[in-house]
Amino acid sequence: MAGPTNDDIQDKLLNHTYDGIQEYDNPMPRWWLLTFAATIVFSVIYLFNIGPVGSGKGRIADYEADMAAYAKAHPAPTGGDMSSDQLLALVKDEEAMEEGKEAYTAYCASCHAPDGGGLIGPNLADAYWLHGGTIADIYKTVTIGVLEKGMPPWGKTLKPEQLSAVVAYVSTLQGTTPANPKAPQGTPVTP
Ligand code: HEC
């Protein structure tokens, strides 16, 4: 009826006493050790995310899936969705021109000079363009920027109306005579 008691087990007592407590020299049970070893093996596989064992399909596949999901959620600006005609129509819209000039003064004048003559950025009043001089080209350049050359992308900073207005405004600088024009850069574009 009673199970084995300590007295029945022929275990070897270890030769020490801590605070009156003695202990047997018993190994951990086999099932426990195997489970322990299995968790170590699993943790290594999990850590390196190998195959289907880890949290995903493998590190590289996970990374690529994350990057693809990010790219989908944050599409690169393509140049906006205003047509040339819509942009040119804004040139005749006084309110839009007012807004465009305001945005130009606030965001562009520091690099392109208040009158478009150019400072760090190129002259926007001459006929020479690095990235194309049609209003659609300007719209695209302003939207996506030329970051490696120091021209910020404005497509996500400005509101869409502001962006089209400032582009329309820039197109009106063409042929004006800035106070200190920067030397032409790029190729001439005939309007
Ligand atoms: C921090 C300085 C900086 C600011 C601010 C800036 N730009 Fe620029 N921009 C540049 C530089 C530098 C370039 C020349 C890029 C290159 O060399 O490819 C440039 C190029 C351009 C071009 C193309 C010119 C060409 O010859 O093709 C346009 C158009 C333009 N900027 C418009 C704008 C407008 C509009 C704004 C404001 C919304 C603006 N920029 C604000 C620095 C700036």
Side-chain angles (χ1 to χ4, degrees):
M1 128 190 183
T5 65
N6 279 348
D7 296 338
D8 303 328
I9 300 169
Q10 297 300 307
D11 283 325
K12 187 167 152 258
L13 264 180
L14 283 176
N15 194 19
H16 59 221
T17 308
Y18 295 118
D19 294 338
I21 298 169
Q22 290 181 286
E23 58 178 339
Y24 290 121
D25 182 19
N26 282 347
M28 301 296 288
R30 183 169 295 267
W31 66 264
W32 193 98
L33 287 171
L34 286 176
T35 311
F36 181 56
T39 61
I40 292 174
V41 171
F42 178 80
S43 73
V44 171
I45 295 171
Y46 188 85
L47 180 66
F48 291 102
N49 193 353
I50 299 165
V53 179
S55 58
K57 298 190 181 76
R59 265 181 311 156
I60 294 176
D62 276 0
Y63 171 78
E64 274 162 8
D66 285 353
M67 292 306 282
Y70 180 87
K72 210 172 162 210
H74 305 265
T78 52
D81 44 18
M82 293 284 283
S83 70
S84 303
D85 289 344
Q86 286 172 305
L87 290 167
L88 286 168
L90 289 178
V91 175
K92 301 195 181 76
D93 178 339
E94 265 178 48
E95 216 173 288
M97 281 298 96
E98 203 55 43
E99 189 179 4
K101 185 173 184 178
E102 225 167 77
Y104 181 87
T105 310
Y107 304 112
C108 320
S110 54
C111 288
H112 291 281
D115 57 9
L119 288 167
I120 299 165
N123 186 334
L124 298 176
D126 64 14
Y128 290 77
W129 296 91
L130 293 162
H131 301 283
T134 68
I135 199 160
D137 292 334
I138 300 173
Y139 186 49
K140 185 169 178 212
T141 311
V142 176
T143 306
I144 67 179
V146 193
L147 207 50
E148 67 279 8
K149 295 283 173 61
M151 165 68 181
W154 295 96
K156 284 186 178 166
T157 318
L158 300 182
K159 284 183 276 167
E161 321 78 85
Q162 255 181 332
L163 185 74
S164 357
V166 82
V167 167
Y169 177 74
V170 165
S171 77
T172 66
L173 298 173
Q174 222 20 234
T176 59
T177 36
N180 293 302
K182 195 174 171 183
Q185 289 167 273
T187 45
V189 174
T190 38

